[in-house]
Amino acid sequence: MVRTAIIGLGAQGRKYGEIIYKNEIDNMCITGVVARSESSISWSEENLSGVKIYPSYEQLFNNCSEFDAVIIAAPHKVHPEIASAAFEKNKAVLCDKPSGINLRDVKKMNRLSEGIPFAMMFNNRIQPVYKWIKETIDNGDIGTVKRILFKSCRYFRTQHYHNSSSWRSSWEGEGGGVLINQGQHLLDLWYWYFGMPDKIISNMCYGKYNDFDVDDEATLIMKYKDKSGVFIISTGEPMGQDTIEIAGTEGRIIAVGNDVTFWKYENIIDYMANAKVNDASEMQGSVENLYFAPEKKPYHIMLKNFADYVEGRAEPVAKGTDGIYALKMCKLAYR
């Protein structure tokens, strides 16, 4: 069993705690939590009976013989601080997004992680539709990617959410708004699919829908040598969803939520050079409509994968060191 401690008992930490405590991960158990607020302590006592409660991660780390790994679900800016302390104790780490809010701290954290299991909670990577897109790109089924549009409007957030913690939706507490929070999941997918852009041009909206100083909508133009793309994210559009359009030299993908339209056609570079008509009427191609049922228990899969990774039986879904790339794109957009 991978003996695990959870640092931070906000909404996410409580989800992880309940899953592990109920023995829903067959090779992971919970041996401790770090809870500072009265509500978190009371929740732990009521829902994680018998699990030790520590008032700080420092006190947790004074009892290193009692756990093998930590899950970090604390406020963003302390992620590198806690992870670095864990690595100095040779403890495995699963970190919620983002890696942190300061690139210097994240780089240090990544260096200290060398040789120690370190993973990020980028659970979108295990959703079937996103996995299929990744495999289709990597297999060369759409040829060379030339243009990308990635629009995310599914993270609708009300003032109730922004008020749920004192550190949320502020420069001091969270290090930004939608890009440093929800946007990290999508920017990670962007990096996973296409790699880091050479340049980012951003149009940021600060307090467009809310009475705060941070971003609640952003449009990024991603520039590469061989392709171009646009990334859009908003927390102010209800009943939204993710839309991904990827155009390549031999195919095109349009994914709206979990529904995909997949066009396959002959190489457009050759066709454009040799066609005897001024349109695509003689191009050979096909179209297919696909549906991917969403994974209903993504956190279970991520926690199981992390436990297997710690035990040396699996590679992580998302390496911990990958977290820096989504953060870099965020920081470039904020400039």
Side-chain angles (χ1 to χ4, degrees), residues 141-143 246-253 262-266:
D141 292 337
I142 59 171
I246 306 168
T249 54
E250 297 176 32
R252 183 167 76 249
I253 296 166
F262 177 36
W263 286 266
K264 184 73 178 168
Y265 38 75
E266 62 183 282

Side-chain angles (χ1 to χ4, degrees), residues 27 56 58 64 69 87 166 194 204 246 248 255 293 300 315 329 332:
N27 55 339
S56 69
E58 292 92 345
C64 280
F87 295 138
S166 60
F194 314 115
M204 306 295 294
I246 306 168
H300 289 71
E315 288 298 308
M329 284 187 268
L332 285 169

Side-chain angles (χ1 to χ4, degrees), residues 125 189 203:
R125 290 194 186 191
L189 288 178
N203 179 27

Side-chain angles (χ1 to χ4, degrees), residues 1-64:
M1 298 290 283
V2 176
R3 300 170 303 158
T4 306
I6 298 177
I7 302 174
L9 282 183
Q12 288 303 115
R14 294 181 186 188
K15 286 180 184 178
Y16 307 146
E18 286 187 321
I19 291 170
I20 302 168
Y21 184 76
K22 292 177 181 178
N23 298 315
E24 295 176 11
I25 310 300
D26 60 15
N27 55 339
M28 178 181 280
C29 63
I30 183 168
T31 59
V33 295
V34 174
R36 300 176 64 182
S37 70
E38 290 185 10
S39 63
S40 293
I41 294 170
S42 296
W43 182 90
S44 182
E45 290 172 341
E46 292 174 11
N47 296 277
L48 308 177
S49 178
V51 173
K52 290 186 178 181
I53 302 172
Y54 298 90
S56 69
Y57 76 82
E58 292 92 345
Q59 288 184 261
L60 170 69
F61 290 156
N62 286 335
N63 295 272
C64 280

Side-chain angles (χ1 to χ4, degrees), residues 70 72 79-80 83 87 92-100 103 105-122 125 184 188 191 302 305-306 309 315-327:
V70 297
I72 301 174
H79 288 184
F87 295 138
V93 171
L94 174 59
C95 186
D96 252 340
K97 56 77 188 164
S99 286
L103 286 171
D105 295 338
V106 172
K107 289 176 182 177
K108 177 186 175 183
M109 173 183 69
N110 286 354
R111 288 194 302 270
L112 290 172
S113 74
E114 187 173 352
I116 303 172
F118 179 29
M120 287 294 298
M121 184 58 86
F122 283 140
R125 290 194 186 191
Q184 292 293 286
D188 172 67
Y191 165 76
M302 294 298 290
N305 172 257
F306 178 63
Y309 173 39
E315 288 298 308
V317 169
K319 295 178 180 178
T321 51
D322 279 1
I324 197 170
Y325 300 107
L327 181 61

Side-chain angles (χ1 to χ4, degrees), residues 35-330:
R36 300 176 64 182
S37 70
E38 290 185 10
S39 63
S40 293
I41 294 170
S42 296
W43 182 90
S44 182
E45 290 172 341
E46 292 174 11
N47 296 277
L48 308 177
S49 178
V51 173
K52 290 186 178 181
I53 302 172
Y54 298 90
S56 69
Y57 76 82
E58 292 92 345
Q59 288 184 261
L60 170 69
F61 290 156
N62 286 335
N63 295 272
C64 280
S65 63
E66 298 182 2
F67 63 96
D68 310 303
V70 297
I71 298 174
I72 301 174
H76 302 169
K77 66 180 181 180
V78 296
H79 288 184
E81 173 187 324
I82 297 172
S84 297
F87 295 138
E88 289 174 349
K89 298 290 187 178
N90 201 36
K91 299 298 180 182
V93 171
L94 174 59
C95 186
D96 252 340
K97 56 77 188 164
S99 286
I101 63 174
N102 185 296
L103 286 171
R104 181 182 64 252
D105 295 338
V106 172
K107 289 176 182 177
K108 177 186 175 183
M109 173 183 69
N110 286 354
R111 288 194 302 270
L112 290 172
S113 74
E114 187 173 352
I116 303 172
F118 179 29
M120 287 294 298
M121 184 58 86
F122 283 140
N123 49 283
N124 275 343
R125 290 194 186 191
I126 57 93
Q127 287 295 343
V129 66
Y130 296 131
K131 286 174 64 178
W132 180 86
I133 293 172
K134 171 68 171 173
E135 291 165 2
T136 302
I137 294 171
D138 289 352
N139 291 340
D141 292 337
I142 59 171
T144 302
V145 174
K146 290 296 183 181
R147 182 183 60 78
I148 309 135
L149 172 62
F150 193 161
K151 180 177 67 173
S152 179
C153 304
R154 64 182 164 102
Y155 291 107
F156 182 68
R157 294 292 184 265
T158 65
Q159 194 62 41
H160 177 77
Y161 169 82
H162 299 299
N163 294 341
S164 63
S165 294
S166 60
W167 55 272
R168 285 202 184 280
S169 309
S170 66
W171 292 109
E172 176 63 25
E174 195 164 18
V178 62
L179 276 188
I180 199 74
N181 191 331
Q182 296 83 10
Q184 292 293 286
H185 282 299
L186 292 315
L187 290 174
D188 172 67
L189 288 178
W190 188 287
Y191 165 76
W192 196 40
Y193 293 157
F194 314 115
M196 279 293 292
D198 300 313
K199 185 178 181 180
I200 294 178
I201 299 172
S202 63
N203 179 27
M204 306 295 294
C205 296
Y206 299 99
K208 182 176 183 178
Y209 300 98
N210 303 275
D211 184 20
F212 53 46
D213 295 328
V214 295
D215 48 302
D216 49 11
E217 183 177 292
T219 300
L220 313 184
I221 298 174
M222 309 290 206
K223 304 192 76 173
Y224 297 82
K225 292 179 181 178
D226 59 346
K227 56 182 170 282
S228 59
V230 176
F231 174 87
I232 301 169
I233 187 167
S234 174
T235 57
E237 299 179 25
M239 293 176 280
Q241 56 197 340
D242 287 356
T243 301
I244 304 174
E245 182 173 350
I246 306 168
T249 54
E250 297 176 32
R252 183 167 76 249
I253 296 166
I254 297 182
V256 181
N258 295 292
D259 293 290
V260 174
T261 305
F262 177 36
W263 286 266
K264 184 73 178 168
Y265 38 75
E266 62 183 282
N267 189 289
I268 60 171
I269 305 301
D270 295 339
Y271 182 89
M272 292 170 71
N274 301 305
K276 304 303 181 183
V277 294
N278 194 32
D279 52 38
S281 60
E282 296 184 359
M283 178 173 281
Q284 300 298 309
S286 62
V287 62
E288 186 177 7
N289 294 310
L290 306 167
Y291 172 76
F292 296 88
E295 174 54 56
K296 294 182 179 179
K297 293 186 175 181
Y299 298 125
H300 289 71
I301 292 176
M302 294 298 290
L303 291 170
K304 172 62 175 170
N305 172 257
F306 178 63
D308 291 345
Y309 173 39
V310 173
E311 293 183 329
R313 297 192 283 116
E315 288 298 308
V317 169
K319 295 178 180 178
T321 51
D322 279 1
I324 197 170
Y325 300 107
L327 181 61
K328 279 184 177 179
M329 284 187 268
C330 174

